[in-house]
């Protein structure tokens, strides 16, 4: 067994009288320690939840930035398509493909009802014989109905020189991409 504690003398005895005993003080510290532990635990859990919410927002933000970049690229591609189709030479080519012809000279009406100018009808210009037809002009040109003969059908024994240019232009027409509509 342990021996009883010897009585304190001198300075130690005076300090022992000034300091309270250790038994009741540990019971008084327990609620304070529990409060500090609960506050620290609550703070850590709050920080964890806040960090999770910020990470979720960060992922959402990066996803929205990626979507914005993709949509911006698509919008720029569509704008390039519109710009290329809006050029005068492209508009003229597409109009000719649709069978449109350049307009004649216009006439204007004055406010008093008089006609200014001499209006003329818009007619298709006669096909000009060109020694080397361009692929654009030959791809959109229709075969000449007079080249097959007077009866409207090609004779098996007669030569058909007009059929060869059409077969020569067929690969050029196939290599040209078909026109697409601007809306998707």
């Amino acid at each position: 067994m342990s021996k009883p504690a010897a009585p304190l003398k001198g300075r130690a005895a005076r300090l022992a009288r000034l300091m309270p005993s250790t038994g009741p003080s540990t019971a008084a510290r327990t609620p304070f320690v529990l409060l500090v532990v609960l506050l620290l635990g609550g703070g850590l859990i709050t920080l964890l939840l806040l960090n999770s919410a910020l990470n979720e927002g960060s992922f959402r933000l990066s996803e929205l930035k990626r979507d914005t970049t993709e949509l911006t690229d698509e919008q720029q591609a569509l704008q390039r398509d519109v710009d290329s189709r809006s050029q005068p030479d492209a508009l003229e080519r597409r109009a000719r493909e649709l069978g449109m012809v350049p307009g004649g000279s216009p006439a204007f009406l004055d406010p008093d009802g008089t006609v200014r100018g001499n209006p003329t009808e818009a007619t298709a210009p006669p096909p000009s014989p060109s020694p080397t037809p361009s692929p654009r002009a030959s791809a959109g040109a229709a075969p000449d109905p007079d080249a097959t003969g007077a009866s409207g059908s090609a004779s098996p024994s007669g030569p058909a020189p007009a059929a060869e240019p059409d077969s020569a232009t067929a690969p050029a027409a196939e290599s040209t991409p078909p026109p697409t509509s601007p809306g998707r």
Side-chain angles (χ1 to χ4, degrees):
M1 294 226 162
S2 67
K3 23 182 197 172
L8 297 173
K9 295 183 184 175
R11 184 180 243 180
R14 279 185 282 160
L15 284 175
R17 280 191 309 244
L18 291 175
M19 307 242 333
S21 64
T22 58
S25 70
T26 55
R29 285 187 196 171
T30 305
F32 177 73
V33 170
L34 285 176
L35 177 67
V36 169
V37 167
L38 286 175
L39 286 175
L40 286 175
L44 286 175
I45 290 173
T46 303
L47 283 175
L48 177 67
L49 292 175
L50 183 63
N51 192 16
S52 297
L54 288 175
N55 281 340
E56 182 181 341
S58 175
F59 285 131
R60 179 77 177 134
L61 181 65
S62 65
E63 180 181 320
L64 289 174
K65 282 183 179 180
R66 188 186 71 236
D67 291 345
T68 301
T69 303
E70 289 173 4
L71 291 173
T72 301
D73 291 345
E74 183 179 352
Q75 187 262 346
Q76 288 174 352
L78 290 173
Q79 187 63 43
R80 277 193 307 270
D81 288 347
V82 167
D83 290 343
S84 68
R85 291 173 188 262
S86 297
Q87 294 174 353
D89 59 338
L91 288 175
E92 179 184 9
R93 187 183 79 248
R94 298 237 9 220
R96 288 193 189 279
E97 289 173 0
L98 292 172
M100 298 176 149
V101 295
S105 63
F108 300 96
L109 290 177
D110 287 331
D112 61 357
T114 59
V115 177
R116 240 187 345 163
N118 187 13
T120 59
E121 183 178 338
T123 57
S128 61
S130 60
T132 56
S134 67
R136 283 188 193 168
S138 62
D144 189 9
D146 294 333
T148 58
S151 64
S153 63
S155 64
S157 62
E164 287 192 13
D166 288 338
S167 64
T169 60
E174 289 175 4
S175 67
T176 316
T180 57
S181 62
R184 290 187 177 188

